[in-house]
Amino acid sequence: MPRTIEKAMRVLDLFSLECPEWGVSEVARALKLPKSTVSELMSDLAKQRLLSRAAAKGRYRLGWRLFELSQTLLDTTRFRIEARRVMEELVRCWQETVHLAVLDGVQAVYVEKLQPTPAVKIGISRAGARLPAYCSGVGKVLLAHSEWKYVTEQLEDQGMPSLTPNTVTTLDALADELKRVREQGYAYDHQETLVGLCCVAAPIYDSRGTVIAAISLSVPDYRFHPAKSKYTSAILDAARRISENAGHALEEYPGY
Amino acid sequence: MPRTIEKAMRVLDLFSLECPEWGVSEVARALKLPKSTVSELMSDLAKQRLLSRAAAKGRYRLGWRLFELSQTLLDTTRFRIEARRVMEELVRCWQETVHLAVLDGVQAVYVEKLQPTPAVKIGISRAGARLPAYCSGVGKVLLAHSEWKYVTEQLEDQGMPSLTPNTVTTLDALADELKRVREQGYAYDHQETLVGLCCVAAPIYDSRGTVIAAISLSVPDYRFHPAKSKYTSAILDAARRISENAGHALEEYPGY
DNA sequence: CTGGTATGTTCGATATAGCCGAATACACCG
DNA sequence: CGGTGTATTCGGCTATATCGAACATACCAG
């Protein structure tokens, strides 16, 4: 179990929107490691272009090799192109925010976020953001179709802190909820991530019938309830079209 | 000098558009390393979410952590938003391919590529692609404004293979060319990357007057020469607008 | 022009941590 | 069922990452 990789990731994880630049000493302080260790580690990360620095002894930024690798990841994620097309249509039609997410461990990673043009920004979500899956619509859809044994293990380790009063915070409650999600073929999020915000989310299947992603509509509370069923069928239809394009034969699966 | 990082990158670099999935044995064979070593390394990369695998013992794909990190890189690259706006305008106006690139070492990395809608695809370039800088328009612009000492060192190591008969292949010729680029404030690429393709490229400055990126128009040979000067002033104008938006006071620099 | 306190890098002895071969386990195929 | 192909586990060896001290710079205030 190469600890070097882990340490390297702890360094990379420091870089964020708020703190996009880090010096050796700052990192050493933040991670409580000797400066010398950090200096060598970061210089090597820079050699591999995972980090870059403007001046020869200046502070570091994230390196373009990350973008490179990320692009080959995206370019080999087939459903993304069709998903984007359908998402654009959804936004145009409903004037609400649409998310596309994949499961990574027990966390949902937003692959794409589309908003009605010059809208009020919703919450903190952005493409590339990572969020515990148990407390969002897309997340619950993804968990519902993954191995329960693994999910419990992970969540027992990581805990289930509540983001709002409505967040599911026990494994039992989550098991019930996921069962419902599987049966009905979609998931609601009633202000579980953010107070005042509701979502409907539906699974995207590939040709083997595996759930590979989830798509959701996010709508402010007051606008959501009156038209709940309309939003639901809209997101189901969108998910179905993306799945079909990915080669999925739909008839056999629930919710359609 | 942590060799672990280097090895990890050698693994990640195997993943490409053509080969997006790798098993442990395949990687071991490709890198001529013991399976056991590779197994542990890749399993750890997966723990850090730099790799992911569908099944518990299946083949690996690139992991979403890469996308996550890449997004914070992009989101902290300020000039990108304005650059994209200007690029869209360029494409609409000239109906030609536009590239945005940054320098990484002595290689150019394409940050963005825009094409006239359903056009013939130009060459192999795509966002996220990496290309030796000495043989492209954007590359020469970027090299022209970076430290010559470092450039020579690197190019002596890496060599300067020619991609077309027109490629600059000696340091002396490159020095001359870069001098010209600095003086005139833009660079031409006359079929140096790809036979039949020409470019004009111009530098993008930040508020401190540092060149942070380059933008280019790529035009088929036969269309380029008749309208060379039009394309040139178009790309200069675009670069100027992006630079200004990035806080650059333009008057003091050549080429404008 | 100091002395003080930041910064980042270099070095070498130390012990840790990653490495590799052999053994294990599982899948698939004829 | 043996014969391939996967991938993982184990443990001993040694290479290798680590850490503190020393060394460079740079900056600021007295």
Side-chain angles (χ1 to χ4, degrees), chain A:
Chain A
M1 200 229 284
R3 303 184 70 82
T4 310
I5 305 275
E6 189 200 315
K7 242 170 230 175
M9 286 309 295
R10 290 182 58 207
V11 172
L12 293 184
D13 278 337
L14 290 174
F15 294 79
S16 67
L17 288 188
E18 301 75 38
C19 294
E21 295 194 345
W22 288 79
V24 170
S25 296
E26 294 171 300
V27 172
R29 236 173 293 134
L31 301 184
K32 291 173 182 165
L33 289 170
K35 272 197 307 183
S36 50
T37 305
V38 173
S39 173
E40 291 173 304
L41 178 55
M42 292 184 82
S43 127
D44 204 63
L45 286 170
K47 242 177 237 131
Q48 300 302 322
R49 316 229 152 271
L50 298 175
L51 290 178
S52 72
R53 60 194 342 189
K57 297 201 173 184
R59 315 172 83 203
Y60 288 91
R61 306 189 91 255
L62 291 175
W64 289 99
R65 189 95 163 234
L66 293 165
F67 175 65
E68 219 179 327
L69 290 165
S70 167
Q71 281 299 312
T72 75
L73 169 57
L74 288 180
D75 289 348
T76 55
T77 302
R78 303 298 175 74
F79 63 88
R80 206 176 55 98
I81 290 108
E82 174 67 5
R84 203 188 153 91
R85 227 184 43 74
V86 171
M87 289 169 74
E88 276 163 3
E89 208 174 295
L90 269 178
V91 171
R92 223 180 310 124
C93 174
W94 297 93
Q95 292 294 309
E96 303 287 356
T97 302
V98 180
H99 283 104
L100 177 69
V102 294
L103 190 65
D104 194 28
V106 287
Q107 319 205 284
V109 175
Y110 291 126
V111 176
E112 204 99 55
K113 175 189 188 172
L114 259 69
Q115 285 181 284
T117 24
V120 195
K121 304 267 169 175
I122 283 192
I124 32 66
S125 78
R126 52 182 255 275
R130 183 181 288 269
L131 191 87
Y134 64 87
C135 57
S136 72
V138 278
K140 289 191 293 185
V141 164
L142 294 166
L143 286 185
H145 297 273
S146 69
E147 211 183 313
W148 177 247
K149 190 176 173 311
Y150 173 74
V151 173
T152 49
E153 269 176 30
Q154 293 294 310
L155 288 182
E156 270 163 10
D157 276 14
Q158 303 181 19
M160 299 174 64
S162 62
L163 303 189
T164 77
N166 284 12
T167 309
V168 180
T169 53
T170 69
L171 281 175
D172 283 352
L174 184 63
D176 289 351
E177 171 69 358
L178 296 189
K179 184 158 179 288
R180 188 174 326 121
V181 170
R182 268 189 302 274
E183 283 164 2
Q184 65 191 11
Y186 53 86
Y188 288 126
D189 164 2
H190 290 119
Q191 314 188 47
E192 294 162 40
T193 311
L194 203 66
V195 174
L197 188 69
C198 294
C199 305
V200 222
I204 294 170
Y205 296 87
D206 69 4
S207 57
R208 289 167 315 200
T210 310
V211 170
I212 50 178
I215 188 176
S216 75
L217 259 173
S218 303
V219 183
D221 186 33
Y222 62 91
R223 240 183 286 157
F224 187 69
H225 284 96
K228 201 164 163 175
S229 65
K230 297 225 168 193
Y231 289 126
T232 306
S233 55
I235 206 70
L236 281 172
D237 184 60
R240 201 208 60 220
R241 279 157 61 203
I242 301 170
S243 298
E244 274 180 32
N245 185 275
H248 176 59
L250 59 143
E251 297 77 15
E252 344 161 16
Y253 291 93
Y256 292 124

Side-chain angles (χ1 to χ4, degrees), chain B residues 116-127:
Chain B
T117 21
V120 195
K121 305 266 168 175
I122 282 192
I124 31 64
S125 78
R126 52 182 254 275

Side-chain angles (χ1 to χ4, degrees), chain B residues 106-137:
Chain B
V106 289
Q107 319 206 282
V109 175
Y110 291 125
V111 176
E112 204 99 56
K113 174 190 188 171
L114 259 69
Q115 286 181 282
T117 21
V120 195
K121 305 266 168 175
I122 282 192
I124 31 64
S125 78
R126 52 182 254 275
R130 184 181 287 268
L131 191 87
Y134 64 87
C135 57
S136 73

Side-chain angles (χ1 to χ4, degrees), chain B residues 63-243:
Chain B
W64 289 100
R65 190 97 164 234
L66 292 166
F67 175 66
E68 217 181 327
L69 290 164
S70 167
Q71 282 298 314
T72 74
L73 170 56
L74 288 180
D75 289 348
T76 55
T77 302
R78 304 296 176 76
F79 63 88
R80 207 176 54 98
I81 290 109
E82 174 67 6
R84 201 185 155 94
R85 229 185 42 75
V86 172
M87 288 169 74
E88 275 162 5
E89 207 174 298
L90 269 178
V91 172
R92 223 180 308 124
C93 174
W94 298 93
Q95 292 294 308
E96 303 287 357
T97 302
V98 180
H99 283 104
L100 177 69
V102 294
L103 191 65
D104 194 29
V106 289
Q107 319 206 282
V109 175
Y110 291 125
V111 176
E112 204 99 56
K113 174 190 188 171
L114 259 69
Q115 286 181 282
T117 21
V120 195
K121 305 266 168 175
I122 282 192
I124 31 64
S125 78
R126 52 182 254 275
R130 184 181 287 268
L131 191 87
Y134 64 87
C135 57
S136 73
V138 277
K140 290 192 292 185
V141 164
L142 293 167
L143 286 185
H145 297 274
S146 70
E147 213 183 311
W148 178 246
K149 190 175 173 315
Y150 173 74
V151 173
T152 49
E153 268 175 32
Q154 293 294 311
L155 288 182
E156 270 163 11
D157 277 13
Q158 305 182 17
M160 299 173 64
S162 62
L163 304 189
T164 78
N166 285 12
T167 309
V168 179
T169 53
T170 68
L171 281 175
D172 283 353
L174 185 62
D176 289 351
E177 172 69 357
L178 296 190
K179 186 160 177 286
R180 189 175 325 123
V181 170
R182 267 190 302 274
E183 283 166 2
Q184 65 192 11
Y186 54 86
Y188 287 126
D189 164 2
H190 290 118
Q191 313 188 47
E192 294 162 40
T193 310
L194 201 67
V195 174
L197 189 70
C198 294
C199 304
V200 222
I204 294 170
Y205 296 87
D206 70 4
S207 58
R208 287 168 316 199
T210 310
V211 171
I212 50 177
I215 188 177
S216 75
L217 259 173
S218 303
V219 183
D221 186 33
Y222 62 90
R223 241 184 284 157
F224 188 69
H225 284 96
K228 201 165 163 175
S229 67
K230 295 223 170 192
Y231 288 126
T232 306
S233 55
I235 206 70
L236 282 171
D237 184 59
R240 199 209 61 222
R241 278 156 60 204
I242 301 169
S243 298

